[in-house]
Amino acid sequence: MSFTSSDEKVKEFYEYALSSGFQKEAFFSKETMDAYIETSLDGYQTYPLFLFVFNGTFKKKVLEKMMSVDYRSRLSSIVGVASSTSFESVLMAEPPCVKKTGMGDYVKMAKLKDFLLLLQPGIYKHEAYEDYALERRKAYMDDKTWYIYIFATKKSIQRSGHGKRLMNLMISFAKEKGYRICLETDLKENVAMYEKFGFHVVDQSVYNDALQHFVMVYE
């Protein structure tokens, strides 16, 4: 398997992960993308955002297609590492200054069957939310800040240390290389968890009178 990008920061992360004992076969790639989607769906099945965009229902099949298009569009601009080749937990992060992907990028990567997504109102609600989230965090993003895009552990094994191992990797990488890290959560209970890792809240708001939104930074 080759790296998904020639970007130096992406290579820098993967080289650090390899030196820290993580397996190349578990990195995010075209070959492992389905496993990343499976873990993401399992870990996020009760996450407020994904219930919000589908009016309180977790539409697994639709989200699976949305993630498939989204992840394909990010193959060259995002890093991903799993706790093992069983993909119990996954973390995906954008290097500093990565341009936001949007509907145009998704259309370019979509397969014929994916265009049925355009009939799903949830995809537009999700896109609107992403624009809002980007606006809330942009003041904290610079050429030294990595953004954690996905951090998910399968429901059946949450709180067993798989996610902690990944977050500790991201933090040690940032500390050694002189980066900082930004992430967001819509679940208030997650704030305390991230604070234990050393993150702190820099922005708090409510989206559309429905979703709590926290921007957190590690520096």
Side-chain angles (χ1 to χ4, degrees):
M1 185 190 77
S2 60
F3 290 128
T4 58
S5 173
S6 60
D7 184 271
E8 289 304 312
K9 290 185 175 63
V10 170
K11 287 185 177 179
E12 182 181 43
F13 175 85
Y14 281 134
E15 287 169 358
Y16 186 85
L18 284 171
S19 70
S20 300
F22 285 81
Q23 298 168 284
K24 186 176 181 180
E25 292 77 16
F27 292 166
F28 179 60
S29 68
K30 184 177 179 180
E31 292 76 20
T32 63
M33 186 173 65
D34 287 346
Y36 275 75
I37 292 171
E38 180 182 350
T39 298
S40 300
L41 286 169
D42 192 279
Y44 283 126
Q45 59 189 274
T46 58
Y47 195 64
L49 172 61
F50 298 115
L51 296 177
F52 168 77
V53 296
F54 293 112
N55 301 318
T57 302
F58 184 76
K59 294 190 176 182
K60 183 177 180 180
K61 291 296 184 182
V62 177
L63 281 168
E64 184 178 20
K65 291 179 181 179
M66 286 173 61
M67 285 183 177
S68 178
V69 177
D70 182 38
Y71 287 12
R72 290 201 303 271
S73 74
R74 295 174 185 270
L75 275 172
S76 64
S77 62
I78 202 166
V79 302
V81 61
S83 54
S84 75
T85 52
S86 296
F87 303 93
E88 297 95 346
S89 185
V90 298
L91 185 151
M92 300 167 72
E94 294 178 347
C97 302
V98 167
K99 178 180 177 291
K100 177 186 179 294
T101 54
M103 195 67 71
D105 302 278
Y106 301 156
V107 169
K108 290 177 185 176
M109 298 304 300
K111 300 175 182 177
L112 184 60
K113 62 181 180 180
D114 296 324
F115 283 96
L116 290 175
L117 287 172
L118 297 176
L119 303 177
Q120 293 284 343
I123 194 172
Y124 303 102
K125 289 180 70 174
H126 187 268
E127 181 75 2
Y129 167 83
E130 288 294 335
D131 289 339
Y132 171 86
L134 177 62
E135 187 68 23
R136 301 300 303 193
R137 72 176 182 267
K138 72 177 184 180
Y140 311 99
M141 303 298 297
D142 56 27
D143 61 0
K144 300 295 289 183
T145 303
W146 284 69
Y147 172 66
I148 295 179
Y149 179 63
I150 292 289
F151 181 47
T153 300
K154 292 178 180 178
K155 281 288 183 184
S156 62
I157 54 170
Q158 288 181 355
R159 304 186 187 281
S160 60
H162 290 281
K164 183 178 181 180
R165 182 172 182 241
L166 297 181
M167 187 61 76
N168 284 340
L169 169 70
M170 191 74 218
I171 288 170
S172 62
F173 167 73
K175 289 172 69 174
E176 182 169 316
K177 304 297 183 180
Y179 295 117
R180 70 175 181 173
I181 311 166
C182 180
L183 59 79
E184 295 162 306
T185 183
D186 300 324
L187 197 58
K188 189 174 182 179
E189 299 89 273
N190 282 352
V191 171
M193 175 186 70
Y194 291 128
E195 286 177 337
K196 289 180 180 178
F197 284 112
F199 287 82
H200 62 279
V201 175
V202 293
D203 184 84
Q204 180 176 348
S205 61
V206 178
Y207 175 67
N208 206 29
D209 296 323
L211 282 177
Q212 296 184 88
H213 183 262
F214 302 89
V215 180
M216 302 186 72
V217 169
Y218 180 97
E219 53 189 342

